[in-house]
Amino acid sequence: MTISWIVTVVGIVVSLIGYYLTPGAWGYGILGFGLAHVVLGILDMFRSPERQRRK
């Protein structure tokens, strides 16, 4: 769960950097990269651990 929070927070920081660079193509790419990390971090929070799935 800690890793999921780290990925989400890093994604938010990267998204903010991309947001401030948005007039250029690099800004949109960085923004999308950050948003993808936010989504993946949140999805990972809802996933059950491997130990619980085998029971």
Side-chain angles (χ1 to χ4, degrees):
M1 187 72 138
T2 304
I3 300 297
S4 301
W5 278 106
I6 293 171
V7 171
T8 304
V9 169
V10 169
I12 291 170
V13 170
V14 172
S15 296
L16 288 173
I17 292 169
Y19 176 76
Y20 288 114
L21 299 173
T22 49
W26 280 98
Y28 291 118
I30 294 171
L31 178 64
F33 187 75
L35 289 176
H37 276 77
V38 171
V39 169
L40 291 174
I42 291 172
L43 286 176
D44 193 42
M45 288 181 203
F46 291 110
R47 188 173 59 110
S48 61
E50 185 67 30
R51 284 181 263 152
Q52 291 179 354
R53 277 191 258 156
R54 290 187 180 183
K55 288 183 180 179

